[in-house]
Amino acid sequence: VLGLGLANHWPLLVIGTPLILFFVWPIKKQIFKQSWKWLGSSLLTAAVFYGFMMWRSQASPVISFLGPLDSFGDLMGYINRSYYRVIENKWDSTFVDKLYFLGDFIFGLVWREWFLVGAVFVLGCYSAIKKYSRIQIVGLLFGLLATPIVLPIQLPFEFNLLNQNVLKVFHLVSYFAAGLILPYGFEMIRAWRAKLFIPIASGVVALTIILNFIDNDLRTDHFAEDYGRVILSFIPPSDKIRPLVAGTDADVGPLSYIRYGLGERADLNLYTQSGVFFDHRIFDPWMFKKSVRVEKTENFLKDNEIVYSTKVLDILEARTNLPFVFNFNGLLYEISLQT
């Protein structure tokens, strides 16, 4: 499990590390003695997945996240997430963003779900405190509060419409910790009134499903596809293959689904400016030197008669007297050489 966590999303694993105390503290001596076994097997498991990703990136897949990874340095840059440095430097993170993030956590934990089982949750806390050692309770409490409190201190971010779905995944650690507490509350109810246990537990599960069904029933939700089609409707069909630069996660998903998933609009190649998502890119994702990024962006625009983009190519914002014409309709940029 540790190896899979390292290979999947290690920042989440780091945030959730204190929860490990809750599980292993009673057998800490045995765990420590066998640390070379579980630690070695975990690192080996993670290395297998990272190695496969590096090998697969050499085949130039259409969706090539930061690929191709040509060296060990590229791979380490992927693992330590150095490419986010440019993104984080652009974010205008404020204290209000931290409050919104905390508020979203409280809304998800208390209002959407746990208000149904508030009493059960309180009983679970009481039972856990009575049953487990102080170190285990500290680990459980830190796991519960790490995401909404520690993450905003460590990471600058904008919690807005475009970014919030990416950041909400970090709440999973706290929700998991809260989920560990609930069974102890139900256990106390069963010990108190065994006949009420099944009706109460079944009722809580049923109400939770019913009240969250609308948010999770996406069978008729075509917003992403419709959004992508609206963007593409502004680009006239062409006999030549034109570049379309997708600016954010909100653009990448809908456009790549239509272009590569459904196989439509073969006259377009999808790009991202720094090549984070697609094999087609303007400059390498590891290129942090601004002058080189500007030069490559200008050359890219000159090499193509027309370039479409869902975002302003911000690397050019400070430049003047550029030989390009920028047309913007509120949703899409059309960039062409001056004639």
Side-chain angles (χ1 to χ4, degrees):
V1 174
L2 178 61
L4 294 175
L6 289 172
N8 180 31
H9 201 294
W10 65 261
L12 277 177
L13 188 67
V14 172
I15 293 175
T17 296
L19 282 173
I20 297 177
L21 293 174
F22 178 75
F23 294 103
V24 306
W25 189 254
I27 55 172
K28 56 184 180 297
K29 292 183 179 179
Q30 298 93 309
I31 294 293
F32 181 76
K33 288 180 180 179
Q34 299 180 4
S35 60
W36 66 273
K37 291 183 180 180
W38 59 262
L39 185 57
S41 61
S42 298
L43 293 176
L44 180 61
T45 300
V48 169
F49 283 95
Y50 282 122
F52 173 79
M53 182 187 69
M54 188 173 184
W55 170 79
R56 183 69 182 89
S57 73
Q58 300 302 309
S60 298
V62 173
I63 306 298
S64 182
F65 194 76
L66 294 177
L69 303 174
D70 295 320
S71 66
F72 181 74
D74 288 349
L75 180 62
M76 290 308 299
Y78 173 86
I79 295 175
N80 64 33
R81 303 163 68 86
S82 63
Y83 54 90
Y84 273 119
R85 187 175 66 196
V86 176
I87 299 174
E88 292 173 358
N89 289 339
K90 293 179 182 178
W91 275 350
D92 185 21
S93 180
T94 66
F95 181 70
V96 175
D97 290 302
K98 317 295 185 182
L99 291 180
Y100 279 144
F101 183 73
L102 177 60
D104 182 77
F105 165 77
I106 295 174
F107 178 78
L109 185 65
V110 178
W111 178 248
R112 276 193 172 181
E113 297 190 27
W114 301 119
F115 78 97
L116 296 171
V117 289
V120 181
F121 185 74
V122 172
L123 289 174
C125 291
Y126 176 79
S127 176
I129 291 173
K130 290 290 186 179
K131 183 173 294 187
Y132 295 102
S133 68
R134 184 175 299 178
I135 293 295
Q136 289 175 283
I137 296 302
V138 169
L140 187 60
L141 181 64
F142 196 91
L144 186 66
L145 300 178
T147 298
I149 294 178
V150 177
L151 185 67
I153 296 175
Q154 294 182 332
L155 180 68
F157 56 78
E158 294 178 14
F159 193 73
N160 53 33
L161 182 63
L162 294 178
N163 299 325
Q164 61 180 352
N165 286 334
V166 177
L167 295 166
K168 282 182 177 182
V169 67
F170 289 98
H171 290 328
L172 291 175
V173 175
S174 295
Y175 292 163
F176 176 75
L180 292 175
I181 296 174
L182 284 178
Y184 299 106
F186 284 118
E187 184 181 41
M188 289 192 68
I189 293 175
R190 185 173 60 178
W192 174 57
R193 291 289 190 273
K195 292 182 179 180
L196 294 178
F197 170 71
I198 293 180
I200 291 176
S202 300
V204 166
V205 172
L207 282 174
T208 301
I209 293 174
I210 292 171
L211 292 178
N212 288 277
F213 180 76
I214 295 177
D215 288 339
N216 291 283
D217 179 23
L218 303 177
R219 292 174 297 173
T220 59
D221 189 338
H222 305 291
F223 173 78
E225 181 180 351
D226 293 341
Y227 173 66
R229 293 192 182 281
V230 169
I231 293 176
L232 294 175
S233 69
F234 294 111
I235 304 176
S238 173
D239 295 333
K240 296 182 179 181
I241 297 179
R242 306 292 191 188
L244 170 55
V245 182
T248 66
D249 291 354
D251 304 324
V252 167
L255 292 174
S256 60
Y257 170 70
I258 296 173
R259 173 63 185 88
Y260 300 121
L262 300 179
E264 300 179 15
R265 295 306 303 263
D267 59 326
L268 295 172
N269 274 337
L270 294 185
Y271 284 73
T272 41
Q273 186 170 257
S274 62
V276 174
F277 300 102
F278 301 116
D279 184 48
H280 297 296
R281 61 196 59 189
I282 299 178
F283 47 77
D284 192 272
W286 315 112
M287 179 53 64
F288 298 119
K289 193 173 181 180
K290 186 173 182 180
S291 61
V292 177
R293 293 161 69 99
V294 170
E295 180 183 0
K296 287 186 174 293
T297 302
E298 290 188 11
N299 291 337
F300 173 77
L301 296 177
K302 291 176 181 178
D303 292 340
N304 294 275
E305 295 179 3
I306 299 176
V307 174
Y308 299 97
S309 178
T310 59
K311 62 171 287 185
V312 61
L313 299 179
D314 49 6
I315 201 70
L316 301 177
E317 283 184 331
R319 304 296 298 274
T320 58
N321 300 320
L322 291 170
F324 308 110
V325 177
F326 294 83
N327 293 315
F328 182 57
N329 64 7
L331 196 61
L332 185 73
Y333 287 89
E334 180 183 289
I335 309 168
S336 58
L337 278 170
Q338 286 181 345
T339 56

Short mmCIF file of all heavy atoms in Angstrom, two decimals, residues 229-269:
data_model
loop_
_atom_site.label_atom_id
_atom_site.label_comp_id
_atom_site.label_asym_id
_atom_site.label_seq_id
_atom_site.Cartn_x
_atom_site.Cartn_y
_atom_site.Cartn_z
N ARG A 229 -17.18 21.80 -27.19
CA ARG A 229 -17.76 22.03 -28.52
C ARG A 229 -17.99 23.52 -28.78
O ARG A 229 -17.88 23.97 -29.92
CB ARG A 229 -19.07 21.26 -28.66
CG ARG A 229 -18.88 19.76 -28.68
CD ARG A 229 -20.13 19.02 -29.12
NE ARG A 229 -19.92 17.58 -29.07
CZ ARG A 229 -19.28 16.89 -30.00
NH1 ARG A 229 -18.76 17.51 -31.05
NH2 ARG A 229 -19.15 15.58 -29.89
N VAL A 230 -18.30 24.26 -27.74
CA VAL A 230 -18.45 25.71 -27.91
C VAL A 230 -17.12 26.33 -28.34
O VAL A 230 -17.07 27.16 -29.25
CB VAL A 230 -18.96 26.36 -26.61
CG1 VAL A 230 -18.86 27.88 -26.69
CG2 VAL A 230 -20.40 25.96 -26.35
N ILE A 231 -16.04 25.93 -27.68
CA ILE A 231 -14.71 26.44 -28.06
C ILE A 231 -14.39 26.07 -29.51
O ILE A 231 -13.97 26.92 -30.30
CB ILE A 231 -13.63 25.87 -27.12
CG1 ILE A 231 -13.82 26.41 -25.69
CG2 ILE A 231 -12.23 26.23 -27.63
CD1 ILE A 231 -12.85 25.82 -24.69
N LEU A 232 -14.62 24.82 -29.87
CA LEU A 232 -14.29 24.36 -31.22
C LEU A 232 -15.16 24.99 -32.28
O LEU A 232 -14.76 25.09 -33.45
CB LEU A 232 -14.40 22.83 -31.29
CG LEU A 232 -13.39 22.05 -30.44
CD1 LEU A 232 -13.68 20.56 -30.50
CD2 LEU A 232 -11.96 22.33 -30.88
N SER A 233 -16.36 25.44 -31.89
CA SER A 233 -17.26 26.04 -32.87
C SER A 233 -16.71 27.36 -33.42
O SER A 233 -17.14 27.81 -34.49
CB SER A 233 -18.64 26.27 -32.25
OG SER A 233 -18.59 27.29 -31.26
N PHE A 234 -15.79 27.98 -32.70
CA PHE A 234 -15.21 29.25 -33.16
C PHE A 234 -14.02 29.03 -34.11
O PHE A 234 -13.47 30.00 -34.62
CB PHE A 234 -14.74 30.08 -31.97
CG PHE A 234 -15.86 30.56 -31.09
CD1 PHE A 234 -16.01 30.06 -29.81
CD2 PHE A 234 -16.77 31.50 -31.55
CE1 PHE A 234 -17.05 30.50 -28.99
CE2 PHE A 234 -17.81 31.94 -30.74
CZ PHE A 234 -17.94 31.43 -29.47
N ILE A 235 -13.63 27.78 -34.31
CA ILE A 235 -12.49 27.49 -35.18
C ILE A 235 -13.01 26.88 -36.48
O ILE A 235 -13.53 25.75 -36.48
CB ILE A 235 -11.51 26.51 -34.50
CG1 ILE A 235 -11.05 27.06 -33.16
CG2 ILE A 235 -10.32 26.24 -35.40
CD1 ILE A 235 -10.15 26.12 -32.38
N PRO A 236 -12.90 27.58 -37.59
CA PRO A 236 -13.41 27.04 -38.85
C PRO A 236 -12.58 25.84 -39.30
O PRO A 236 -11.36 25.80 -39.08
CB PRO A 236 -13.25 28.22 -39.82
CG PRO A 236 -12.16 29.07 -39.22
CD PRO A 236 -12.29 28.92 -37.75
N PRO A 237 -13.21 24.84 -39.92
CA PRO A 237 -12.46 23.70 -40.46
C PRO A 237 -11.42 24.15 -41.46
O PRO A 237 -11.59 25.15 -42.15
CB PRO A 237 -13.55 22.84 -41.12
CG PRO A 237 -14.83 23.27 -40.46
CD PRO A 237 -14.66 24.72 -40.14
N SER A 238 -10.31 23.42 -41.52
CA SER A 238 -9.22 23.80 -42.40
C SER A 238 -8.60 22.58 -43.04
O SER A 238 -8.64 21.47 -42.47
CB SER A 238 -8.14 24.57 -41.61
OG SER A 238 -7.00 24.82 -42.40
N ASP A 239 -8.04 22.76 -44.23
CA ASP A 239 -7.31 21.68 -44.89
C ASP A 239 -5.96 21.45 -44.25
O ASP A 239 -5.34 20.40 -44.43
CB ASP A 239 -7.12 22.01 -46.38
CG ASP A 239 -8.45 22.05 -47.13
OD1 ASP A 239 -9.39 21.38 -46.69
OD2 ASP A 239 -8.53 22.79 -48.14
N LYS A 240 -5.48 22.46 -43.52
CA LYS A 240 -4.21 22.37 -42.81
C LYS A 240 -4.46 22.06 -41.34
O LYS A 240 -5.47 22.44 -40.78
CB LYS A 240 -3.42 23.67 -42.94
CG LYS A 240 -3.01 24.02 -44.36
CD LYS A 240 -2.19 25.29 -44.37
CE LYS A 240 -1.74 25.65 -45.79
NZ LYS A 240 -0.91 26.89 -45.80
N ILE A 241 -3.51 21.38 -40.73
CA ILE A 241 -3.62 21.08 -39.30
C ILE A 241 -3.16 22.29 -38.51
O ILE A 241 -2.01 22.74 -38.66
CB ILE A 241 -2.79 19.84 -38.93
CG1 ILE A 241 -3.33 18.61 -39.67
CG2 ILE A 241 -2.83 19.60 -37.42
CD1 ILE A 241 -2.56 17.34 -39.39
N ARG A 242 -4.05 22.84 -37.69
CA ARG A 242 -3.76 24.04 -36.90
C ARG A 242 -3.48 23.67 -35.44
O ARG A 242 -4.07 22.73 -34.90
CB ARG A 242 -4.94 25.00 -36.94
CG ARG A 242 -5.41 25.39 -38.34
CD ARG A 242 -4.39 26.23 -39.05
NE ARG A 242 -4.95 26.81 -40.28
CZ ARG A 242 -4.23 27.47 -41.17
NH1 ARG A 242 -2.93 27.64 -40.98
NH2 ARG A 242 -4.81 27.96 -42.26
N PRO A 243 -2.63 24.43 -34.78
CA PRO A 243 -2.41 24.21 -33.33
C PRO A 243 -3.50 24.89 -32.50
O PRO A 243 -3.90 26.01 -32.79
CB PRO A 243 -1.05 24.88 -33.07
CG PRO A 243 -0.50 25.24 -34.42
CD PRO A 243 -1.67 25.39 -35.34
N LEU A 244 -3.97 24.19 -31.50
CA LEU A 244 -4.89 24.74 -30.51
C LEU A 244 -4.24 24.55 -29.14
O LEU A 244 -4.05 23.43 -28.68
CB LEU A 244 -6.24 24.04 -30.56
CG LEU A 244 -7.23 24.35 -29.43
CD1 LEU A 244 -7.49 25.86 -29.31
CD2 LEU A 244 -8.54 23.59 -29.62
N VAL A 245 -3.89 25.67 -28.50
CA VAL A 245 -3.23 25.62 -27.20
C VAL A 245 -4.28 25.63 -26.10
O VAL A 245 -5.05 26.58 -25.97
CB VAL A 245 -2.27 26.82 -27.02
CG1 VAL A 245 -1.55 26.72 -25.67
CG2 VAL A 245 -1.25 26.87 -28.15
N ALA A 246 -4.34 24.54 -25.31
CA ALA A 246 -5.27 24.45 -24.18
C ALA A 246 -4.58 25.03 -22.95
O ALA A 246 -3.47 24.64 -22.61
CB ALA A 246 -5.68 23.01 -23.94
N GLY A 247 -5.27 25.96 -22.29
CA GLY A 247 -4.60 26.71 -21.24
C GLY A 247 -4.62 26.10 -19.86
O GLY A 247 -3.62 26.13 -19.14
N THR A 248 -5.74 25.50 -19.46
CA THR A 248 -5.87 25.02 -18.08
C THR A 248 -6.49 23.62 -18.07
O THR A 248 -6.90 23.09 -19.11
CB THR A 248 -6.77 25.96 -17.25
OG1 THR A 248 -8.11 25.90 -17.77
CG2 THR A 248 -6.27 27.39 -17.31
N ASP A 249 -6.59 23.02 -16.88
CA ASP A 249 -7.24 21.72 -16.75
C ASP A 249 -8.67 21.77 -17.27
O ASP A 249 -9.18 20.79 -17.82
CB ASP A 249 -7.26 21.29 -15.28
CG ASP A 249 -5.87 20.95 -14.76
OD1 ASP A 249 -4.93 20.94 -15.57
OD2 ASP A 249 -5.73 20.72 -13.55
N ALA A 250 -9.34 22.91 -17.08
CA ALA A 250 -10.73 23.04 -17.51
C ALA A 250 -10.86 22.97 -19.02
O ALA A 250 -11.92 22.60 -19.54
CB ALA A 250 -11.30 24.37 -17.00
N ASP A 251 -9.82 23.31 -19.77
CA ASP A 251 -9.84 23.23 -21.22
C ASP A 251 -9.29 21.88 -21.72
O ASP A 251 -9.80 21.33 -22.70
CB ASP A 251 -8.99 24.35 -21.84
CG ASP A 251 -9.42 25.72 -21.37
OD1 ASP A 251 -10.63 25.92 -21.19
OD2 ASP A 251 -8.55 26.58 -21.18
N VAL A 252 -8.26 21.39 -21.06
CA VAL A 252 -7.58 20.18 -21.52
C VAL A 252 -8.53 18.99 -21.57
O VAL A 252 -8.59 18.25 -22.57
CB VAL A 252 -6.38 19.86 -20.61
CG1 VAL A 252 -5.86 18.45 -20.88
CG2 VAL A 252 -5.27 20.87 -20.83
N GLY A 253 -9.30 18.77 -20.52
CA GLY A 253 -10.20 17.62 -20.46
C GLY A 253 -11.25 17.62 -21.57
O GLY A 253 -11.34 16.66 -22.35
N PRO A 254 -12.07 18.67 -21.67
CA PRO A 254 -13.11 18.69 -22.71
C PRO A 254 -12.55 18.61 -24.12
O PRO A 254 -13.07 17.88 -24.97
CB PRO A 254 -13.81 20.03 -22.47
CG PRO A 254 -13.59 20.32 -21.02
CD PRO A 254 -12.23 19.80 -20.73
N LEU A 255 -11.48 19.35 -24.39
CA LEU A 255 -10.93 19.38 -25.75
C LEU A 255 -10.27 18.06 -26.13
O LEU A 255 -10.41 17.58 -27.25
CB LEU A 255 -9.94 20.54 -25.89
CG LEU A 255 -10.53 21.94 -25.82
CD1 LEU A 255 -9.44 23.00 -25.82
CD2 LEU A 255 -11.50 22.18 -26.97
N SER A 256 -9.53 17.46 -25.20
CA SER A 256 -8.87 16.19 -25.51
C SER A 256 -9.89 15.07 -25.66
O SER A 256 -9.69 14.14 -26.46
CB SER A 256 -7.85 15.84 -24.43
OG SER A 256 -8.47 15.72 -23.16
N TYR A 257 -11.01 15.15 -24.92
CA TYR A 257 -12.06 14.13 -25.06
C TYR A 257 -12.66 14.17 -26.46
O TYR A 257 -12.83 13.13 -27.12
CB TYR A 257 -13.15 14.36 -24.02
CG TYR A 257 -14.39 13.52 -24.24
CD1 TYR A 257 -14.35 12.14 -24.03
CD2 TYR A 257 -15.58 14.09 -24.68
CE1 TYR A 257 -15.48 11.35 -24.23
CE2 TYR A 257 -16.71 13.32 -24.89
CZ TYR A 257 -16.66 11.95 -24.67
OH TYR A 257 -17.77 11.18 -24.89
N ILE A 258 -12.96 15.37 -26.94
CA ILE A 258 -13.56 15.50 -28.27
C ILE A 258 -12.54 15.17 -29.36
O ILE A 258 -12.85 14.45 -30.32
CB ILE A 258 -14.13 16.92 -28.46
CG1 ILE A 258 -15.28 17.15 -27.48
CG2 ILE A 258 -14.62 17.11 -29.90
CD1 ILE A 258 -15.80 18.57 -27.47
N ARG A 259 -11.34 15.71 -29.23
CA ARG A 259 -10.34 15.54 -30.29
C ARG A 259 -9.81 14.11 -30.35
O ARG A 259 -9.74 13.50 -31.43
CB ARG A 259 -9.17 16.53 -30.08
CG ARG A 259 -7.99 16.33 -31.01
CD ARG A 259 -8.37 16.55 -32.47
NE ARG A 259 -7.26 16.23 -33.35
CZ ARG A 259 -7.01 15.04 -33.85
NH1 ARG A 259 -7.82 14.00 -33.54
NH2 ARG A 259 -5.99 14.83 -34.66
N TYR A 260 -9.39 13.55 -29.21
CA TYR A 260 -8.73 12.26 -29.21
C TYR A 260 -9.64 11.12 -28.75
O TYR A 260 -9.47 9.99 -29.18
CB TYR A 260 -7.47 12.31 -28.35
CG TYR A 260 -6.47 13.34 -28.83
CD1 TYR A 260 -6.06 14.38 -28.01
CD2 TYR A 260 -5.96 13.28 -30.11
CE1 TYR A 260 -5.15 15.33 -28.45
CE2 TYR A 260 -5.05 14.21 -30.57
CZ TYR A 260 -4.65 15.25 -29.74
OH TYR A 260 -3.76 16.18 -30.19
N GLY A 261 -10.59 11.43 -27.86
CA GLY A 261 -11.52 10.39 -27.41
C GLY A 261 -12.56 10.06 -28.46
O GLY A 261 -12.79 8.88 -28.78
N LEU A 262 -13.21 11.09 -29.02
CA LEU A 262 -14.23 10.90 -30.04
C LEU A 262 -13.66 10.93 -31.45
O LEU A 262 -14.35 10.59 -32.41
CB LEU A 262 -15.33 11.97 -29.90
CG LEU A 262 -16.07 12.00 -28.55
CD1 LEU A 262 -17.11 13.12 -28.55
CD2 LEU A 262 -16.73 10.65 -28.26
N GLY A 263 -12.41 11.38 -31.59
CA GLY A 263 -11.77 11.40 -32.90
C GLY A 263 -12.27 12.49 -33.82
O GLY A 263 -12.13 12.38 -35.05
N GLU A 264 -12.83 13.56 -33.28
CA GLU A 264 -13.34 14.65 -34.10
C GLU A 264 -12.28 15.75 -34.26
O GLU A 264 -11.29 15.79 -33.54
CB GLU A 264 -14.61 15.22 -33.46
CG GLU A 264 -15.73 14.20 -33.30
CD GLU A 264 -16.96 14.78 -32.65
OE1 GLU A 264 -17.07 16.03 -32.58
OE2 GLU A 264 -17.83 14.00 -32.22
N ARG A 265 -12.51 16.62 -35.22
CA ARG A 265 -11.64 17.75 -35.52
C ARG A 265 -10.19 17.32 -35.71
O ARG A 265 -9.27 17.78 -35.03
CB ARG A 265 -11.75 18.83 -34.44
CG ARG A 265 -13.11 19.51 -34.36
CD ARG A 265 -13.57 20.09 -35.70
NE ARG A 265 -12.65 21.02 -36.28
CZ ARG A 265 -12.77 22.35 -36.16
NH1 ARG A 265 -13.77 22.86 -35.49
NH2 ARG A 265 -11.88 23.14 -36.76
N ALA A 266 -9.98 16.44 -36.71
CA ALA A 266 -8.64 15.97 -37.02
C ALA A 266 -7.77 17.07 -37.61
O ALA A 266 -6.56 16.87 -37.79
CB ALA A 266 -8.72 14.79 -38.00
N ASP A 267 -8.37 18.22 -37.91
CA ASP A 267 -7.59 19.34 -38.44
C ASP A 267 -6.92 20.15 -37.35
O ASP A 267 -6.31 21.19 -37.62
CB ASP A 267 -8.49 20.25 -39.29
CG ASP A 267 -9.66 20.80 -38.50
OD1 ASP A 267 -10.17 20.10 -37.61
OD2 ASP A 267 -10.08 21.94 -38.76
N LEU A 268 -7.01 19.68 -36.09
CA LEU A 268 -6.40 20.39 -34.97
C LEU A 268 -5.46 19.47 -34.21
O LEU A 268 -5.73 18.28 -34.04
CB LEU A 268 -7.48 20.90 -34.00
CG LEU A 268 -8.45 21.96 -34.53
CD1 LEU A 268 -9.56 22.21 -33.51
CD2 LEU A 268 -7.72 23.26 -34.84
N ASN A 269 -4.34 20.02 -33.76
CA ASN A 269 -3.45 19.35 -32.82
C ASN A 269 -3.48 20.13 -31.51
O ASN A 269 -3.31 21.35 -31.51
CB ASN A 269 -2.01 19.30 -33.35
CG ASN A 269 -1.77 18.10 -34.23
OD1 ASN A 269 -2.47 17.10 -34.14
ND2 ASN A 269 -0.77 18.18 -35.10
#
